[in-house]
Amino acid sequence: MSITHRVLVAAISLTAAAAMFAPATAHAGHPCQSEWVKFKTFFDQNGAKIARGICQLVNKNDAAAAKKCVDDFEAARQKIDAKLAEYNAGTNDSQGKIGPRGLGEATWATGTLLAERTFAGAPILSDSWRLELQRTGGKATKPMQATVCFLDSDGNMALPAATFSIEASRPNYDNTFTGVAGLTPVILLEKPIGLNGHQYQLRGTRGGEPTVVREARLVNTAAKDAKMRGGQ
């Protein structure tokens, strides 16, 4: 083998190795990310960008930053709560809707799974989020596979995906996820295609205000009290 040939083979091998260990692009890996790309307009229109940097408070002694943190959170909450109210009311949403269904706040969404279904919520304004999924009936004999993902505003997986199965012998799933503030929940439901389906109900419920917002409120209140005392 000539020197030129050996150099070329080495270069190709290095390139292949680099490709093998290179990080995956933002939207190429997980099915949740594929859904995000497929329905990107849905996510953009339903609030993902609202949650970007929803509240930043690095210095707890910075009263101005604390006020901005609270103001940004309140502005985002108005927009996101309006979207959740729309989901809760079932506006433009039904079992037969094509594309992802909006997952409301603390209200049951129902359906019959015959093949696949995607649910997507609004960004979570809390450090925690509880997901409940219950099989309520149906003639399907194969389990319903579920995947839960939390995506950032760019569609990246912010946490490892959680997977589980639902069937007649295991009809309930109930789990509270933490560290999810500002992330968008995406739930994928799947079963082998068939005329027999799983009847189900699904509910997502956020916890209290994020810790950073509560801390910002305390800083804000303390600054106001100090200002009042200074003016006396």
Side-chain angles (χ1 to χ4, degrees), residues 95-173:
Q95 294 185 37
K97 177 182 177 181
I98 297 175
R101 291 181 62 185
L103 186 60
E105 167 63 23
T107 188
W108 291 106
T110 62
T112 300
L113 183 69
L114 297 176
E116 296 182 354
R117 168 58 77 184
T118 304
F119 284 88
I124 300 168
L125 298 182
S126 176
D127 292 325
S128 65
W129 189 74
R130 179 185 181 188
L131 175 64
E132 299 167 89
L133 176 58
Q134 299 175 357
R135 182 184 186 277
T136 57
K139 297 181 179 179
T141 57
K142 298 291 185 181
M144 170 169 49
Q145 303 294 332
T147 304
V148 186
C149 302
F150 295 92
L151 307 184
D152 64 19
S153 58
D154 294 318
N156 294 310
M157 296 279 290
L159 294 173
T163 59
F164 59 94
S165 298
I166 291 287
E167 54 189 315
S169 61
R170 289 182 297 175
N172 299 317
Y173 176 83

Side-chain angles (χ1 to χ4, degrees), residues 2-136:
S2 68
I3 294 176
T4 303
H5 192 187
R6 287 199 299 269
V7 170
L8 181 58
V9 170
I12 292 173
S13 299
L14 286 172
T15 301
M20 182 181 298
F21 293 107
T25 55
H27 314 308
H30 198 276
C32 285
Q33 294 172 281
S34 301
E35 290 294 296
W36 188 91
V37 173
K38 186 177 178 182
F39 301 116
K40 185 175 184 300
T41 300
F42 173 91
F43 288 99
D44 285 348
Q45 292 177 345
N46 290 272
K49 297 299 181 185
I50 298 173
R52 188 192 295 274
I54 206 166
C55 180
Q56 302 296 322
L57 184 64
V58 177
N59 182 0
K60 295 181 183 179
N61 295 319
D62 189 339
K67 183 179 185 306
K68 185 178 187 307
C69 173
V70 173
D71 290 346
D72 288 349
F73 178 80
E74 293 293 351
R77 180 160 62 181
Q78 288 183 14
K79 295 178 182 179
I80 290 174
D81 282 353
K83 180 54 61 179
L84 289 173
E86 181 181 325
Y87 290 166
N88 284 1
T91 305
N92 298 321
D93 187 34
S94 70
Q95 294 185 37
K97 177 182 177 181
I98 297 175
R101 291 181 62 185
L103 186 60
E105 167 63 23
T107 188
W108 291 106
T110 62
T112 300
L113 183 69
L114 297 176
E116 296 182 354
R117 168 58 77 184
T118 304
F119 284 88
I124 300 168
L125 298 182
S126 176
D127 292 325
S128 65
W129 189 74
R130 179 185 181 188
L131 175 64
E132 299 167 89
L133 176 58
Q134 299 175 357
R135 182 184 186 277
T136 57

